[in-house]
Amino acid sequence: MKRCSVVSQFMAGAVLAGALAAGFTATAASALQSENGQSIGGSAPVPVNRPNIVLILADDLGFTDIAPYGSEINTPTLSAMAQRGMSFTNYHTAANCAPARAMLLTGVDAHVAGVPNIPEMLGPEQRRHDHYQGVLGNNVVTVATLLEDAGYHTYMAGKWHLGAGAGKLPSQRGFERTVALADSGADNWEQRPYIPIYDKANWYADGKEYELPEDFYSSRFLVDKTIEFIDSNVSNQRPFFAYLPFQAVHIPVQAPQHFIDPYMATYEGGWDELREQRLARAIALGIVPERTGTVRMQTTDDWELLDEERRRYEAKRMAVYAGMVEAMDFHIGRLIEYLKASGQYDNTIFIFTSDNGAEASGPADLQDFATQRMVSSLGYRTDYETLGLKGSYNAISPSFASAAASPLAYYKFYAGEGGMRVPLIIAGASLPAKGVLSSAFSFVTDITPTILSFAGVTPPGERHGGRPVEPMIGRSLAPLLLDNAAGVYGPEDAVGYELAGHAALFQGDYKIVFNRGPLGDDRWHLFNIVEDPGESHELSSEMPQRFQSMLSAYERYAKDSRVVPVPPGYDHRKQLVLNILYGGLRTPFVVACLSVLMLLPFYVAYRMRRRDMRRPTTL
């Protein structure tokens, strides 16, 4: 089922409001509408004082991983941004990176755009379909292309992960200046791959292979390049669009020591304590309702059963994670200070969000034999003293990932709220919303239409650049930011989603969700995610008519979006290992170790489920 086109009354109003906020003359603003209120295709008038736009994307950041959403992590830059703008508490994205980035940059569903999953996890049965290649198709137009056509400078520094073949790099998809990581992730201290599917970390600058500098640290480097790009054209008065997709906090989780040190004692109470603390702060801040229920994931281990040395080690794993988040915030602050010093800050709109929820693929025990062999084969170490520093391999396990997503259920890869609901902050001096929370539903496909509305750029029609293109399905969020609208989706509007067999459909305050086993139960469930964001109270038996109606709506979505069912027995971790093997890895032991690593969460889930079955029922 397709959602309402971007050419709608909601969109027309958003474009008009964005045009006025950006400094259009009255004549130019009125030219964006026809007599019946519909937006007019073709080139939009050139506005006066068009805003600069900075789109900042964190990687694998959990719902409560930043202070304005309830975190204990020090993020003063993002806290200040939230105070200067609107924080969205019901914003959803894809549950892993490449599909989220495809939708973020095009406003089109990931399946239609050619990125239904990351290419590293697509099976051969799925790759038989042209739109299941995991790279951005030529049937969609990026927001960068549209802004460049409208006279914007367009820059990108960070992780791309939407293709590296002919015509697929960001320099060929609308970005004027780029330095881009083509892979799903890489080391943050040097040019090193983090999984054996890659021979090297594949970086490109302006379309050519690029070697990282010796003093590289990802967050600092990416902000340095963003400032360099902006500053190179600061004198010509044209506005810019800067896309800044960080590596933080993707595996391997690494940070400078001085960012780690403040958190060395913070996580000594363990993951359950942290999850409860974040829930309490999120309630106090108004991020979630006061009576939000929670579900304890079966992959969450028992902190009390760990010995003292293991607890110490686990606490540092999370301390490094916190340090990496704070380092990202610090370097965002450097970009903001540059914009202030160069007189560009007041005319800049900032959008901050995450590509998906918290990553839970770190092994439960980084020190076990299989993990150690896999890590050492890549040239990494995992000792306590140097954890997070150059040469070390670190990642949080499912236990702390559940705390990072607190109070939500599940995490990255899954269609539970913990995999899909993430922070979104939109701020700028030209926006009237200051320190405001919005609980209106919003989706990742809404970001491109929102950016276009602020820039006064009309979305493409049926063709662009001499070829047919898919229409945007997202909606501009400008009415929320400019007119204090209650929402941009009506109670009957449906938004569908699928990733590797996990699925969801949102409609009004409700969501149906399907999570595959063994972590899920292979059944559809219904929740009111406004009142119950923790997905703790199942409603399908209480609301059977709504449940069936939403199931029908999902089937229409799956058909319209050309969703290909996963093959029998598919599991994304197993498929990653198989793709490494088929890719020519010549070290069978490493494959075996990686298999153990990837399947550990499932073993933990099985163990926890067996333990719970043995426990006596209490009343």
Side-chain angles (χ1 to χ4, degrees), residues 6 15 24 62 64 75 104 106 213 319 412 465 487 556 586 603 615:
V6 72
V15 171
F24 273 94
T64 50
T75 56
L104 181 82
T106 68
K412 182 179 177 180
R556 292 193 295 273
R586 306 247 196 288
Y603 170 71
R615 285 177 175 171

Side-chain angles (χ1 to χ4, degrees), residues 340-353:
K340 288 179 177 178
S342 59
Q344 301 178 83
Y345 174 77
D346 287 341
N347 193 38
T348 300
I349 293 174
F350 299 89
I351 302 173
F352 173 85
T353 188

